[in-house]
Amino acid sequence: SQQGEEDPQALSIQEGENATMNCSYKTSINNLQWYRQNSGRGLVHLILIRSNEREKHSGRLRVTLDTSKKSSSLLITASRAADTASYFCATDLNQAGTALIFGKGTTLSVSS
Amino acid sequence: GAGVSQTPSNKVTEKGKYVELRCDPISGHTALYWYRQSLGQGPEFLIYFQGTGAADDSGLPNDRFFAVRPEGSVSTLKIQRTERGDSAVYLCASSLFGGSEQYFGPGTRLTVT
């Protein structure tokens, strides 16, 4: 079973626009992570936000976490064609954080 | 090493055959993980190693799947009597220690015909 659910499943935008993806999960977590995957291979870690954090920034990425709503959002500002990829949120499957459970992902297409 | 590497990148095998998939983690990373990703889905956890021991194998789907990490570095995922439903991309990840940020390899695409 999958803990995280990303929304929307697919998103198409123009270069320069912002892209927002959401993730909802079911049980309490230690942290939540966002990954990017190109062409169905090679996940790249983007950002980790801990359960006691509410917002985190990394370059053009902004992640928020609302533990009361069990949800997170990933905002990519000023998108580029190179941002085209699938984006996944991942949460801890166990307390030790040694296994991640991923959602089905959001497929982002950025056209120039 | 520069990153997690996996071999082969692609493997085609016939139903019923045995396959081995290899993972070379980042040097110095004590934790190693295997995931499986089917088309259109997110990765699914299979097994986690801390050092040489399998600390959590709760994700292995059945006893046809087995993994080893004899020297605490390279790991091999072994699948016996392969079935068409085993077709997927098998991803390996490593982290400095259990629970820290995981770095993923490019995966092995397994196709069972």
Side-chain angles (χ1 to χ4, degrees), chain A residues 2 33 35 37 39-43 45 88 93-94 96-100 102-104, chain B residues 9 33 35 37 41-43 45 48 56 91 98-99 101-102 104-107 109:
Chain A
Q2 293 185 307
Q33 304 180 56
Y35 284 82
Q37 186 176 42
S39 304
R41 308 281 282 269
L43 286 118
H45 184 268
F88 296 89
L93 188 58
N94 55 32
T98 52
L100 298 178
F102 289 81
K104 292 185 178 182
Chain B
S9 56
Y33 315 79
Y35 293 82
Q37 186 175 23
Q41 303 292 318
F45 170 76
Y48 153 62
D56 183 352
L91 297 162
E101 179 182 328
Q102 297 183 26
F104 281 78
R109 185 178 300 279

PDB file of all heavy atoms in Angstrom, chain A residues 2 33 35 37 39-43 45 88 93-94 96-100 102-104, chain B residues 9 33 35 37 41-43 45 48 56 91 98-99 101-102 104-107 109:
ATOM      1  N   GLN A   2       0.338   2.344  -0.494  1.00  0.00           N
ATOM      2  CA  GLN A   2       1.123   3.559  -0.591  1.00  0.00           C
ATOM      3  C   GLN A   2       0.586   4.570   0.401  1.00  0.00           C
ATOM      4  O   GLN A   2      -0.604   4.824   0.480  1.00  0.00           O
ATOM      5  CB  GLN A   2       1.091   4.084  -2.020  1.00  0.00           C
ATOM      6  CG  GLN A   2       1.828   3.137  -2.980  1.00  0.00           C
ATOM      7  CD  GLN A   2       1.921   3.675  -4.375  1.00  0.00           C
ATOM      8  OE1 GLN A   2       0.919   4.035  -4.950  1.00  0.00           O
ATOM      9  NE2 GLN A   2       3.118   3.732  -4.925  1.00  0.00           N
ATOM     10  N   GLN A  33      10.080  13.630   2.325  1.00  0.00           N
ATOM     11  CA  GLN A  33      11.088  13.977   1.326  1.00  0.00           C
ATOM     12  C   GLN A  33      10.432  14.079  -0.041  1.00  0.00           C
ATOM     13  O   GLN A  33       9.419  13.424  -0.315  1.00  0.00           O
ATOM     14  CB  GLN A  33      12.176  12.890   1.291  1.00  0.00           C
ATOM     15  CG  GLN A  33      12.822  12.663   2.645  1.00  0.00           C
ATOM     16  CD  GLN A  33      13.896  11.602   2.607  1.00  0.00           C
ATOM     17  OE1 GLN A  33      14.836  11.698   1.847  1.00  0.00           O
ATOM     18  NE2 GLN A  33      13.765  10.591   3.465  1.00  0.00           N
ATOM     19  N   TYR A  35      11.346  13.770  -4.203  1.00  0.00           N
ATOM     20  CA  TYR A  35      12.305  13.266  -5.167  1.00  0.00           C
ATOM     21  C   TYR A  35      11.832  13.610  -6.572  1.00  0.00           C
ATOM     22  O   TYR A  35      10.634  13.737  -6.835  1.00  0.00           O
ATOM     23  CB  TYR A  35      12.428  11.737  -5.072  1.00  0.00           C
ATOM     24  CG  TYR A  35      13.217  11.227  -3.894  1.00  0.00           C
ATOM     25  CD1 TYR A  35      12.615  11.099  -2.655  1.00  0.00           C
ATOM     26  CD2 TYR A  35      14.557  10.873  -4.033  1.00  0.00           C
ATOM     27  CE1 TYR A  35      13.343  10.622  -1.563  1.00  0.00           C
ATOM     28  CE2 TYR A  35      15.284  10.390  -2.960  1.00  0.00           C
ATOM     29  CZ  TYR A  35      14.664  10.268  -1.733  1.00  0.00           C
ATOM     30  OH  TYR A  35      15.390   9.793  -0.668  1.00  0.00           O
ATOM     31  N   GLN A  37      12.295  12.283 -10.676  1.00  0.00           N
ATOM     32  CA  GLN A  37      12.712  11.141 -11.492  1.00  0.00           C
ATOM     33  C   GLN A  37      12.508  11.473 -12.953  1.00  0.00           C
ATOM     34  O   GLN A  37      11.425  11.844 -13.386  1.00  0.00           O
ATOM     35  CB  GLN A  37      11.913   9.892 -11.126  1.00  0.00           C
ATOM     36  CG  GLN A  37      12.401   8.631 -11.828  1.00  0.00           C
ATOM     37  CD  GLN A  37      11.646   7.399 -11.382  1.00  0.00           C
ATOM     38  OE1 GLN A  37      10.432   7.421 -11.223  1.00  0.00           O
ATOM     39  NE2 GLN A  37      12.361   6.302 -11.174  1.00  0.00           N
ATOM     40  N   SER A  39      12.620  10.109 -16.868  1.00  0.00           N
ATOM     41  CA  SER A  39      12.555   8.952 -17.764  1.00  0.00           C
ATOM     42  C   SER A  39      12.423   7.632 -17.027  1.00  0.00           C
ATOM     43  O   SER A  39      12.962   6.628 -17.469  1.00  0.00           O
ATOM     44  CB  SER A  39      13.815   8.904 -18.655  1.00  0.00           C
ATOM     45  OG  SER A  39      13.970  10.094 -19.356  1.00  0.00           O
ATOM     46  N   GLY A  40      11.721   7.618 -15.901  1.00  0.00           N
ATOM     47  CA  GLY A  40      11.457   6.386 -15.183  1.00  0.00           C
ATOM     48  C   GLY A  40      12.661   5.753 -14.510  1.00  0.00           C
ATOM     49  O   GLY A  40      12.585   4.617 -14.079  1.00  0.00           O
ATOM     50  N   ARG A  41      13.768   6.450 -14.414  1.00  0.00           N
ATOM     51  CA  ARG A  41      14.951   5.911 -13.764  1.00  0.00           C
ATOM     52  C   ARG A  41      15.554   6.950 -12.830  1.00  0.00           C
ATOM     53  O   ARG A  41      15.253   8.121 -12.927  1.00  0.00           O
ATOM     54  CB  ARG A  41      16.003   5.508 -14.806  1.00  0.00           C
ATOM     55  CG  ARG A  41      15.516   4.602 -15.905  1.00  0.00           C
ATOM     56  CD  ARG A  41      15.420   3.175 -15.450  1.00  0.00           C
ATOM     57  NE  ARG A  41      16.706   2.518 -15.400  1.00  0.00           N
ATOM     58  CZ  ARG A  41      17.233   1.842 -16.414  1.00  0.00           C
ATOM     59  NH1 ARG A  41      16.607   1.780 -17.556  1.00  0.00           N
ATOM     60  NH2 ARG A  41      18.388   1.237 -16.278  1.00  0.00           N
ATOM     61  N   GLY A  42      16.455   6.524 -11.944  1.00  0.00           N
ATOM     62  CA  GLY A  42      17.306   7.442 -11.201  1.00  0.00           C
ATOM     63  C   GLY A  42      16.602   8.536 -10.429  1.00  0.00           C
ATOM     64  O   GLY A  42      16.550   9.676 -10.873  1.00  0.00           O
ATOM     65  N   LEU A  43      16.086   8.213  -9.264  1.00  0.00           N
ATOM     66  CA  LEU A  43      15.488   9.240  -8.417  1.00  0.00           C
ATOM     67  C   LEU A  43      16.561  10.165  -7.861  1.00  0.00           C
ATOM     68  O   LEU A  43      17.614   9.724  -7.415  1.00  0.00           O
ATOM     69  CB  LEU A  43      14.748   8.605  -7.240  1.00  0.00           C
ATOM     70  CG  LEU A  43      13.438   7.949  -7.604  1.00  0.00           C
ATOM     71  CD1 LEU A  43      13.489   6.489  -7.308  1.00  0.00           C
ATOM     72  CD2 LEU A  43      12.298   8.587  -6.848  1.00  0.00           C
ATOM     73  N   HIS A  45      17.222  13.101  -5.031  1.00  0.00           N
ATOM     74  CA  HIS A  45      16.682  13.698  -3.817  1.00  0.00           C
ATOM     75  C   HIS A  45      16.658  15.218  -3.965  1.00  0.00           C
ATOM     76  O   HIS A  45      17.660  15.837  -4.343  1.00  0.00           O
ATOM     77  CB  HIS A  45      17.554  13.308  -2.621  1.00  0.00           C
ATOM     78  CG  HIS A  45      17.033  13.798  -1.312  1.00  0.00           C
ATOM     79  ND1 HIS A  45      17.411  14.992  -0.756  1.00  0.00           N
ATOM     80  CD2 HIS A  45      16.134  13.253  -0.468  1.00  0.00           C
ATOM     81  CE1 HIS A  45      16.780  15.150   0.394  1.00  0.00           C
ATOM     82  NE2 HIS A  45      16.007  14.111   0.594  1.00  0.00           N
ATOM     83  N   PHE A  88       7.949  12.827  -6.745  1.00  0.00           N
ATOM     84  CA  PHE A  88       7.380  11.937  -5.747  1.00  0.00           C
ATOM     85  C   PHE A  88       7.615  12.487  -4.341  1.00  0.00           C
ATOM     86  O   PHE A  88       8.698  13.012  -4.060  1.00  0.00           O
ATOM     87  CB  PHE A  88       8.031  10.551  -5.801  1.00  0.00           C
ATOM     88  CG  PHE A  88       7.806   9.805  -7.073  1.00  0.00           C
ATOM     89  CD1 PHE A  88       8.670   9.936  -8.141  1.00  0.00           C
ATOM     90  CD2 PHE A  88       6.725   8.936  -7.198  1.00  0.00           C
ATOM     91  CE1 PHE A  88       8.470   9.243  -9.323  1.00  0.00           C
ATOM     92  CE2 PHE A  88       6.515   8.231  -8.367  1.00  0.00           C
ATOM     93  CZ  PHE A  88       7.382   8.383  -9.431  1.00  0.00           C
ATOM     94  N   LEU A  93       8.334   4.691   6.402  1.00  0.00           N
ATOM     95  CA  LEU A  93       7.465   3.538   6.605  1.00  0.00           C
ATOM     96  C   LEU A  93       7.532   3.075   8.046  1.00  0.00           C
ATOM     97  O   LEU A  93       6.632   2.426   8.557  1.00  0.00           O
ATOM     98  CB  LEU A  93       7.887   2.414   5.654  1.00  0.00           C
ATOM     99  CG  LEU A  93       6.986   1.180   5.573  1.00  0.00           C
ATOM    100  CD1 LEU A  93       5.583   1.560   5.158  1.00  0.00           C
ATOM    101  CD2 LEU A  93       7.576   0.179   4.596  1.00  0.00           C
ATOM    102  N   ASN A  94       8.637   3.421   8.710  1.00  0.00           N
ATOM    103  CA  ASN A  94       8.800   3.005  10.096  1.00  0.00           C
ATOM    104  C   ASN A  94       9.420   4.134  10.907  1.00  0.00           C
ATOM    105  O   ASN A  94       9.858   5.144  10.356  1.00  0.00           O
ATOM    106  CB  ASN A  94       9.658   1.741  10.184  1.00  0.00           C
ATOM    107  CG  ASN A  94      10.999   1.915   9.488  1.00  0.00           C
ATOM    108  OD1 ASN A  94      11.550   3.013   9.455  1.00  0.00           O
ATOM    109  ND2 ASN A  94      11.522   0.842   8.936  1.00  0.00           N
ATOM    110  N   ALA A  96      12.183   4.303  12.433  1.00  0.00           N
ATOM    111  CA  ALA A  96      13.616   4.507  12.216  1.00  0.00           C
ATOM    112  C   ALA A  96      13.905   5.272  10.940  1.00  0.00           C
ATOM    113  O   ALA A  96      15.031   5.724  10.735  1.00  0.00           O
ATOM    114  CB  ALA A  96      14.322   3.147  12.166  1.00  0.00           C
ATOM    115  N   GLY A  97      12.900   5.406  10.106  1.00  0.00           N
ATOM    116  CA  GLY A  97      13.109   6.126   8.851  1.00  0.00           C
ATOM    117  C   GLY A  97      13.976   5.377   7.875  1.00  0.00           C
ATOM    118  O   GLY A  97      14.587   5.970   6.990  1.00  0.00           O
ATOM    119  N   THR A  98      14.048   4.066   8.031  1.00  0.00           N
ATOM    120  CA  THR A  98      14.936   3.286   7.182  1.00  0.00           C
ATOM    121  C   THR A  98      14.234   2.710   5.973  1.00  0.00           C
ATOM    122  O   THR A  98      14.845   1.999   5.198  1.00  0.00           O
ATOM    123  CB  THR A  98      15.563   2.139   7.999  1.00  0.00           C
ATOM    124  OG1 THR A  98      14.512   1.413   8.649  1.00  0.00           O
ATOM    125  CG2 THR A  98      16.520   2.677   9.033  1.00  0.00           C
ATOM    126  N   ALA A  99      12.976   2.965   5.831  1.00  0.00           N
ATOM    127  CA  ALA A  99      12.259   2.534   4.628  1.00  0.00           C
ATOM    128  C   ALA A  99      11.338   3.664   4.233  1.00  0.00           C
ATOM    129  O   ALA A  99      10.653   4.236   5.077  1.00  0.00           O
ATOM    130  CB  ALA A  99      11.468   1.260   4.899  1.00  0.00           C
ATOM    131  N   LEU A 100      11.345   4.004   2.982  1.00  0.00           N
ATOM    132  CA  LEU A 100      10.500   5.074   2.484  1.00  0.00           C
ATOM    133  C   LEU A 100       9.300   4.499   1.770  1.00  0.00           C
ATOM    134  O   LEU A 100       9.389   3.454   1.118  1.00  0.00           O
ATOM    135  CB  LEU A 100      11.282   5.952   1.512  1.00  0.00           C
ATOM    136  CG  LEU A 100      12.498   6.669   2.071  1.00  0.00           C
ATOM    137  CD1 LEU A 100      13.183   7.462   0.970  1.00  0.00           C
ATOM    138  CD2 LEU A 100      12.118   7.573   3.231  1.00  0.00           C
ATOM    139  N   PHE A 102       6.536   5.699  -1.049  1.00  0.00           N
ATOM    140  CA  PHE A 102       6.350   6.709  -2.069  1.00  0.00           C
ATOM    141  C   PHE A 102       4.912   6.742  -2.548  1.00  0.00           C
ATOM    142  O   PHE A 102       4.216   5.731  -2.568  1.00  0.00           O
ATOM    143  CB  PHE A 102       7.236   6.408  -3.285  1.00  0.00           C
ATOM    144  CG  PHE A 102       8.704   6.620  -3.058  1.00  0.00           C
ATOM    145  CD1 PHE A 102       9.469   5.659  -2.425  1.00  0.00           C
ATOM    146  CD2 PHE A 102       9.320   7.777  -3.500  1.00  0.00           C
ATOM    147  CE1 PHE A 102      10.827   5.849  -2.225  1.00  0.00           C
ATOM    148  CE2 PHE A 102      10.682   7.976  -3.308  1.00  0.00           C
ATOM    149  CZ  PHE A 102      11.431   7.019  -2.667  1.00  0.00           C
ATOM    150  N   GLY A 103       4.488   7.915  -3.010  1.00  0.00           N
ATOM    151  CA  GLY A 103       3.224   8.023  -3.711  1.00  0.00           C
ATOM    152  C   GLY A 103       3.410   7.652  -5.176  1.00  0.00           C
ATOM    153  O   GLY A 103       4.489   7.220  -5.585  1.00  0.00           O
ATOM    154  N   LYS A 104       2.351   7.846  -5.952  1.00  0.00           N
ATOM    155  CA  LYS A 104       2.408   7.505  -7.382  1.00  0.00           C
ATOM    156  C   LYS A 104       3.070   8.594  -8.204  1.00  0.00           C
ATOM    157  O   LYS A 104       3.409   8.369  -9.362  1.00  0.00           O
ATOM    158  CB  LYS A 104       1.009   7.229  -7.919  1.00  0.00           C
ATOM    159  CG  LYS A 104       0.379   5.974  -7.360  1.00  0.00           C
ATOM    160  CD  LYS A 104      -0.952   5.693  -8.021  1.00  0.00           C
ATOM    161  CE  LYS A 104      -1.554   4.409  -7.491  1.00  0.00           C
ATOM    162  NZ  LYS A 104      -2.837   4.088  -8.151  1.00  0.00           N
TER     163      LYS A 104
ATOM    164  N   SER B   9      22.039  -2.720 -16.502  1.00  0.00           N
ATOM    165  CA  SER B   9      21.039  -1.659 -16.615  1.00  0.00           C
ATOM    166  C   SER B   9      19.723  -2.233 -17.123  1.00  0.00           C
ATOM    167  O   SER B   9      18.651  -1.741 -16.767  1.00  0.00           O
ATOM    168  CB  SER B   9      21.528  -0.543 -17.541  1.00  0.00           C
ATOM    169  OG  SER B   9      21.875  -1.064 -18.807  1.00  0.00           O
ATOM    170  N   TYR B  33      19.519  -0.024   0.479  1.00  0.00           N
ATOM    171  CA  TYR B  33      18.090  -0.310   0.331  1.00  0.00           C
ATOM    172  C   TYR B  33      17.807  -0.804  -1.084  1.00  0.00           C
ATOM    173  O   TYR B  33      18.423  -0.344  -2.038  1.00  0.00           O
ATOM    174  CB  TYR B  33      17.263   0.963   0.547  1.00  0.00           C
ATOM    175  CG  TYR B  33      17.660   1.799   1.737  1.00  0.00           C
ATOM    176  CD1 TYR B  33      18.763   2.644   1.669  1.00  0.00           C
ATOM    177  CD2 TYR B  33      16.923   1.778   2.917  1.00  0.00           C
ATOM    178  CE1 TYR B  33      19.139   3.425   2.753  1.00  0.00           C
ATOM    179  CE2 TYR B  33      17.284   2.562   4.002  1.00  0.00           C
ATOM    180  CZ  TYR B  33      18.392   3.380   3.913  1.00  0.00           C
ATOM    181  OH  TYR B  33      18.757   4.154   4.979  1.00  0.00           O
ATOM    182  N   TYR B  35      14.479  -1.171  -3.739  1.00  0.00           N
ATOM    183  CA  TYR B  35      13.091  -0.833  -4.041  1.00  0.00           C
ATOM    184  C   TYR B  35      12.736  -1.416  -5.397  1.00  0.00           C
ATOM    185  O   TYR B  35      13.607  -1.694  -6.220  1.00  0.00           O
ATOM    186  CB  TYR B  35      12.881   0.689  -4.105  1.00  0.00           C
ATOM    187  CG  TYR B  35      13.056   1.426  -2.789  1.00  0.00           C
ATOM    188  CD1 TYR B  35      14.321   1.780  -2.322  1.00  0.00           C
ATOM    189  CD2 TYR B  35      11.954   1.781  -2.018  1.00  0.00           C
ATOM    190  CE1 TYR B  35      14.479   2.458  -1.122  1.00  0.00           C
ATOM    191  CE2 TYR B  35      12.100   2.471  -0.818  1.00  0.00           C
ATOM    192  CZ  TYR B  35      13.367   2.801  -0.380  1.00  0.00           C
ATOM    193  OH  TYR B  35      13.516   3.474   0.806  1.00  0.00           O
ATOM    194  N   GLN B  37      10.012  -0.654  -8.703  1.00  0.00           N
ATOM    195  CA  GLN B  37       9.087   0.325  -9.265  1.00  0.00           C
ATOM    196  C   GLN B  37       8.425  -0.237 -10.510  1.00  0.00           C
ATOM    197  O   GLN B  37       9.102  -0.517 -11.501  1.00  0.00           O
ATOM    198  CB  GLN B  37       9.807   1.633  -9.596  1.00  0.00           C
ATOM    199  CG  GLN B  37       8.878   2.746 -10.040  1.00  0.00           C
ATOM    200  CD  GLN B  37       9.600   4.060 -10.247  1.00  0.00           C
ATOM    201  OE1 GLN B  37      10.801   4.087 -10.469  1.00  0.00           O
ATOM    202  NE2 GLN B  37       8.864   5.164 -10.180  1.00  0.00           N
ATOM    203  N   GLN B  41       3.930   3.726 -11.186  1.00  0.00           N
ATOM    204  CA  GLN B  41       3.849   3.701  -9.728  1.00  0.00           C
ATOM    205  C   GLN B  41       5.102   4.308  -9.112  1.00  0.00           C
ATOM    206  O   GLN B  41       6.115   4.475  -9.777  1.00  0.00           O
ATOM    207  CB  GLN B  41       3.718   2.249  -9.240  1.00  0.00           C
ATOM    208  CG  GLN B  41       2.533   1.499  -9.803  1.00  0.00           C
ATOM    209  CD  GLN B  41       1.227   2.028  -9.297  1.00  0.00           C
ATOM    210  OE1 GLN B  41       1.069   2.334  -8.113  1.00  0.00           O
ATOM    211  NE2 GLN B  41       0.252   2.153 -10.187  1.00  0.00           N
ATOM    212  N   GLY B  42       5.014   4.623  -7.838  1.00  0.00           N
ATOM    213  CA  GLY B  42       6.199   5.034  -7.111  1.00  0.00           C
ATOM    214  C   GLY B  42       6.989   3.825  -6.679  1.00  0.00           C
ATOM    215  O   GLY B  42       6.487   2.701  -6.695  1.00  0.00           O
ATOM    216  N   PRO B  43       8.238   4.018  -6.282  1.00  0.00           N
ATOM    217  CA  PRO B  43       9.048   2.895  -5.793  1.00  0.00           C
ATOM    218  C   PRO B  43       8.417   2.248  -4.568  1.00  0.00           C
ATOM    219  O   PRO B  43       7.816   2.926  -3.735  1.00  0.00           O
ATOM    220  CB  PRO B  43      10.383   3.559  -5.446  1.00  0.00           C
ATOM    221  CG  PRO B  43      10.431   4.787  -6.288  1.00  0.00           C
ATOM    222  CD  PRO B  43       9.016   5.264  -6.359  1.00  0.00           C
ATOM    223  N   PHE B  45       9.273  -0.257  -1.313  1.00  0.00           N
ATOM    224  CA  PHE B  45      10.356  -0.753  -0.477  1.00  0.00           C
ATOM    225  C   PHE B  45      10.401  -2.278  -0.463  1.00  0.00           C
ATOM    226  O   PHE B  45       9.369  -2.947  -0.333  1.00  0.00           O
ATOM    227  CB  PHE B  45      10.180  -0.239   0.949  1.00  0.00           C
ATOM    228  CG  PHE B  45      11.105  -0.866   1.957  1.00  0.00           C
ATOM    229  CD1 PHE B  45      12.433  -0.493   2.025  1.00  0.00           C
ATOM    230  CD2 PHE B  45      10.640  -1.843   2.834  1.00  0.00           C
ATOM    231  CE1 PHE B  45      13.286  -1.069   2.945  1.00  0.00           C
ATOM    232  CE2 PHE B  45      11.491  -2.418   3.763  1.00  0.00           C
ATOM    233  CZ  PHE B  45      12.809  -2.039   3.824  1.00  0.00           C
ATOM    234  N   TYR B  48      16.125  -3.511   3.553  1.00  0.00           N
ATOM    235  CA  TYR B  48      17.107  -2.551   4.054  1.00  0.00           C
ATOM    236  C   TYR B  48      18.218  -3.308   4.773  1.00  0.00           C
ATOM    237  O   TYR B  48      17.961  -4.175   5.605  1.00  0.00           O
ATOM    238  CB  TYR B  48      16.406  -1.570   5.000  1.00  0.00           C
ATOM    239  CG  TYR B  48      17.271  -0.944   6.077  1.00  0.00           C
ATOM    240  CD1 TYR B  48      18.357  -0.137   5.748  1.00  0.00           C
ATOM    241  CD2 TYR B  48      16.984  -1.150   7.428  1.00  0.00           C
ATOM    242  CE1 TYR B  48      19.127   0.447   6.737  1.00  0.00           C
ATOM    243  CE2 TYR B  48      17.755  -0.566   8.419  1.00  0.00           C
ATOM    244  CZ  TYR B  48      18.821   0.222   8.074  1.00  0.00           C
ATOM    245  OH  TYR B  48      19.593   0.798   9.058  1.00  0.00           O
ATOM    246  N   ASP B  56      15.703  -5.071   7.811  1.00  0.00           N
ATOM    247  CA  ASP B  56      14.261  -5.024   7.550  1.00  0.00           C
ATOM    248  C   ASP B  56      14.013  -5.606   6.172  1.00  0.00           C
ATOM    249  O   ASP B  56      14.373  -4.990   5.183  1.00  0.00           O
ATOM    250  CB  ASP B  56      13.749  -3.585   7.638  1.00  0.00           C
ATOM    251  CG  ASP B  56      12.240  -3.467   7.443  1.00  0.00           C
ATOM    252  OD1 ASP B  56      11.590  -4.478   7.095  1.00  0.00           O
ATOM    253  OD2 ASP B  56      11.711  -2.357   7.623  1.00  0.00           O
ATOM    254  N   LEU B  91      15.413  -0.641  -8.048  1.00  0.00           N
ATOM    255  CA  LEU B  91      16.239   0.489  -7.641  1.00  0.00           C
ATOM    256  C   LEU B  91      16.984   0.167  -6.361  1.00  0.00           C
ATOM    257  O   LEU B  91      16.425  -0.418  -5.436  1.00  0.00           O
ATOM    258  CB  LEU B  91      15.367   1.722  -7.410  1.00  0.00           C
ATOM    259  CG  LEU B  91      14.623   2.269  -8.625  1.00  0.00           C
ATOM    260  CD1 LEU B  91      13.493   3.188  -8.189  1.00  0.00           C
ATOM    261  CD2 LEU B  91      15.572   3.012  -9.543  1.00  0.00           C
ATOM    262  N   GLY B  98      21.499   4.429   8.595  1.00  0.00           N
ATOM    263  CA  GLY B  98      20.080   4.157   8.466  1.00  0.00           C
ATOM    264  C   GLY B  98      19.242   5.354   8.847  1.00  0.00           C
ATOM    265  O   GLY B  98      19.434   5.920   9.917  1.00  0.00           O
ATOM    266  N   GLY B  99      18.346   5.756   7.973  1.00  0.00           N
ATOM    267  CA  GLY B  99      17.456   6.869   8.244  1.00  0.00           C
ATOM    268  C   GLY B  99      17.923   8.193   7.685  1.00  0.00           C
ATOM    269  O   GLY B  99      17.170   9.172   7.711  1.00  0.00           O
ATOM    270  N   GLU B 101      19.560  10.628   4.461  1.00  0.00           N
ATOM    271  CA  GLU B 101      19.154  10.839   3.075  1.00  0.00           C
ATOM    272  C   GLU B 101      19.612   9.696   2.181  1.00  0.00           C
ATOM    273  O   GLU B 101      20.769   9.298   2.211  1.00  0.00           O
ATOM    274  CB  GLU B 101      19.744  12.150   2.573  1.00  0.00           C
ATOM    275  CG  GLU B 101      19.427  12.473   1.132  1.00  0.00           C
ATOM    276  CD  GLU B 101      20.088  13.760   0.705  1.00  0.00           C
ATOM    277  OE1 GLU B 101      20.253  14.661   1.552  1.00  0.00           O
ATOM    278  OE2 GLU B 101      20.457  13.866  -0.485  1.00  0.00           O
ATOM    279  N   GLN B 102      18.692   9.193   1.383  1.00  0.00           N
ATOM    280  CA  GLN B 102      18.994   8.064   0.508  1.00  0.00           C
ATOM    281  C   GLN B 102      19.346   8.557  -0.888  1.00  0.00           C
ATOM    282  O   GLN B 102      18.656   9.409  -1.447  1.00  0.00           O
ATOM    283  CB  GLN B 102      17.790   7.119   0.445  1.00  0.00           C
ATOM    284  CG  GLN B 102      17.461   6.492   1.795  1.00  0.00           C
ATOM    285  CD  GLN B 102      16.317   5.510   1.743  1.00  0.00           C
ATOM    286  OE1 GLN B 102      16.031   4.916   0.713  1.00  0.00           O
ATOM    287  NE2 GLN B 102      15.662   5.304   2.880  1.00  0.00           N
ATOM    288  N   PHE B 104      19.868   7.319  -4.752  1.00  0.00           N
ATOM    289  CA  PHE B 104      19.421   6.217  -5.592  1.00  0.00           C
ATOM    290  C   PHE B 104      20.341   5.985  -6.784  1.00  0.00           C
ATOM    291  O   PHE B 104      20.909   6.924  -7.353  1.00  0.00           O
ATOM    292  CB  PHE B 104      18.008   6.478  -6.111  1.00  0.00           C
ATOM    293  CG  PHE B 104      16.940   6.198  -5.092  1.00  0.00           C
ATOM    294  CD1 PHE B 104      16.673   7.105  -4.075  1.00  0.00           C
ATOM    295  CD2 PHE B 104      16.210   5.021  -5.138  1.00  0.00           C
ATOM    296  CE1 PHE B 104      15.691   6.849  -3.122  1.00  0.00           C
ATOM    297  CE2 PHE B 104      15.221   4.757  -4.195  1.00  0.00           C
ATOM    298  CZ  PHE B 104      14.974   5.669  -3.191  1.00  0.00           C
ATOM    299  N   GLY B 105      20.429   4.718  -7.180  1.00  0.00           N
ATOM    300  CA  GLY B 105      21.095   4.354  -8.421  1.00  0.00           C
ATOM    301  C   GLY B 105      20.146   4.476  -9.594  1.00  0.00           C
ATOM    302  O   GLY B 105      18.958   4.767  -9.412  1.00  0.00           O
ATOM    303  N   PRO B 106      20.637   4.235 -10.808  1.00  0.00           N
ATOM    304  CA  PRO B 106      19.818   4.385 -12.018  1.00  0.00           C
ATOM    305  C   PRO B 106      18.815   3.261 -12.217  1.00  0.00           C
ATOM    306  O   PRO B 106      17.906   3.382 -13.035  1.00  0.00           O
ATOM    307  CB  PRO B 106      20.842   4.395 -13.145  1.00  0.00           C
ATOM    308  CG  PRO B 106      21.982   3.607 -12.601  1.00  0.00           C
ATOM    309  CD  PRO B 106      22.022   3.890 -11.134  1.00  0.00           C
ATOM    310  N   GLY B 107      18.983   2.174 -11.483  1.00  0.00           N
ATOM    311  CA  GLY B 107      18.038   1.078 -11.584  1.00  0.00           C
ATOM    312  C   GLY B 107      18.425   0.024 -12.604  1.00  0.00           C
ATOM    313  O   GLY B 107      19.224   0.259 -13.507  1.00  0.00           O
ATOM    314  N   ARG B 109      16.327  -2.433 -15.188  1.00  0.00           N
ATOM    315  CA  ARG B 109      15.009  -2.757 -15.749  1.00  0.00           C
ATOM    316  C   ARG B 109      14.971  -4.242 -16.029  1.00  0.00           C
ATOM    317  O   ARG B 109      15.698  -4.733 -16.897  1.00  0.00           O
ATOM    318  CB  ARG B 109      14.750  -1.953 -17.018  1.00  0.00           C
ATOM    319  CG  ARG B 109      13.338  -2.175 -17.578  1.00  0.00           C
ATOM    320  CD  ARG B 109      13.084  -1.328 -18.814  1.00  0.00           C
ATOM    321  NE  ARG B 109      13.217   0.095 -18.564  1.00  0.00           N
ATOM    322  CZ  ARG B 109      12.289   0.867 -18.024  1.00  0.00           C
ATOM    323  NH1 ARG B 109      11.134   0.339 -17.667  1.00  0.00           N
ATOM    324  NH2 ARG B 109      12.490   2.150 -17.855  1.00  0.00           N
TER     325      ARG B 109
END
